[in-house]
Amino acid sequence: RVGVWTQVDYRGNEVTVESFLRVLLNRHDPLVPRSKRLLSDSDSNILIMLTGHGGEDFLKFQDAEEILSKDIADAFAQMHMKKRYNEILFLADTCQAASLFSELYSPGIIGMASSKTGQSSYSHSLDRNIGVSIIDRFAYHTGAFFEQIDMASTRTIQDLHHAFTPLHMMSDVVLCTDLFQRAPMDQVLLTDFFGSVMKVNLMEREYGGLMGDSGGDGSGAVDGAGGDERSTTDIVPDDQCVLNCTR
């Protein structure tokens, strides 16, 4: 089932506009653990989904504060300047959700909204025991779509967009692609942003760049097949990664 193994780092009162922006921009108190940080760089593809009550150009957090479309646009712009992402898939599920894209101007962003400006978004699956709906239509149909594919899927952003019909959604799902130039949506894989099977480059020699290399200056390793020098961005054992990041 979608989301069963998802690790949740922020819950309840921790979910605020301030904490959301701090995660995006990596502006944390030094005592905040790595598990609560977005450790991204210029090669990272990031999935962001915001869902809740909202209206034109705003989304509510905890029914106590709001984030504006301009706040989101400025945060994405700072992420781009700080090289904190390669591409972003931004999903918005709220009333008039497409209005949250109105101020975006940074490159490499795909936006998908549960409703266009001026439309409401609707809930799904009324629970008669508690008297309220337990999920939104956009989240329900997104989950149903992903139940049918696996991590090796070649389904695209366009396939997901076409899975939403006005009959089931009671609104028009909007796909915003004007800031994304790499490829048309029928060529952009969903696994570029969701879970996927990654290709791993195997090395024929032990990596000594962090722990000391008996055969060189400790700056990298040599691939026995091609003789190319590898940088410290190559794949290394997890314990060496931890030592490098916490020293």
Side-chain angles (χ1 to χ4, degrees):
R1 196 174 61 199
V2 175
V4 169
W5 304 111
T6 301
Q7 177 178 326
V8 179
D9 299 314
Y10 290 82
R11 296 176 182 273
N13 292 333
E14 292 181 316
V15 182
T16 65
V17 172
E18 179 183 358
S19 62
F20 174 64
L21 295 177
R22 285 186 179 277
V23 168
L24 294 184
L25 302 176
N26 198 30
R27 293 178 178 173
H28 297 283
D29 184 279
L31 297 179
V32 173
R34 288 170 54 84
S35 64
K36 287 180 173 286
R37 299 171 183 254
L38 178 62
L39 303 176
S40 60
D41 57 30
S42 59
D43 294 322
S44 301
N45 286 357
I46 300 175
L47 169 66
I48 297 173
M49 181 174 182
L50 294 179
T51 181
H53 294 296
E56 186 170 356
D57 291 322
F58 75 91
L59 177 79
K60 298 176 72 173
F61 274 59
Q62 308 282 14
D63 282 336
E65 55 181 346
E66 301 169 352
I67 189 169
L68 305 180
S69 57
K70 183 172 179 56
D71 298 329
I72 298 171
D74 289 344
F76 287 175
Q78 292 182 59
M79 291 178 71
H80 180 251
M81 287 189 295
K82 296 170 68 175
K83 301 185 184 303
R84 285 186 51 73
Y85 76 87
N86 174 45
E87 296 169 352
I88 291 176
L89 175 58
F90 178 23
L91 306 180
D93 182 13
T94 184
C95 293
Q96 308 192 64
S99 65
L100 293 178
F101 307 152
S102 62
E103 301 287 342
L104 297 179
Y105 55 91
S106 303
I109 300 175
I110 302 171
M112 190 178 295
S114 61
S115 57
K116 64 184 182 181
T117 302
Q119 281 186 334
S120 296
S121 294
Y122 294 95
S123 57
H124 191 281
S125 303
L126 174 67
D127 188 315
R128 300 188 182 279
N129 292 322
I130 59 177
V132 297
S133 297
I134 57 177
I135 193 171
D136 294 318
R137 288 180 178 267
F138 184 78
Y140 176 85
H141 289 290
T142 299
F145 179 87
F146 278 100
E147 290 282 2
Q148 303 173 25
I149 64 177
D150 57 28
M151 292 192 297
S153 172
T154 58
R155 304 295 291 273
T156 65
I157 298 291
Q158 181 171 289
D159 291 330
L160 176 60
H161 183 231
H162 286 172
F164 302 110
T165 65
L167 176 64
H168 293 128
M169 298 296 297
M170 301 175 63
S171 62
D172 298 304
V173 173
V174 177
L175 183 61
C176 179
T177 63
D178 56 305
L179 296 173
F180 192 87
Q181 304 298 326
R182 172 167 65 86
M185 294 299 102
D186 61 353
Q187 298 177 21
V188 180
L189 299 179
L190 287 167
T191 51
D192 287 348
F193 300 94
F194 292 84
S196 62
V197 178
M198 305 299 292
K199 294 182 179 180
V200 177
N201 294 324
L202 299 179
M203 301 177 65
E204 296 186 4
R205 286 186 51 186
E206 180 181 355
Y207 188 89
L210 300 177
M211 304 299 290
D213 189 351
S214 59
D217 59 4
S219 60
V222 177
D223 183 357
D228 296 329
E229 184 173 337
R230 302 294 184 91
S231 70
T232 55
T233 58
D234 284 314
I235 298 173
V236 296
D238 288 342
D239 57 337
Q240 293 188 18
C241 290
V242 171
L243 288 172
N244 180 46
C245 297
T246 59
R247 62 173 65 170

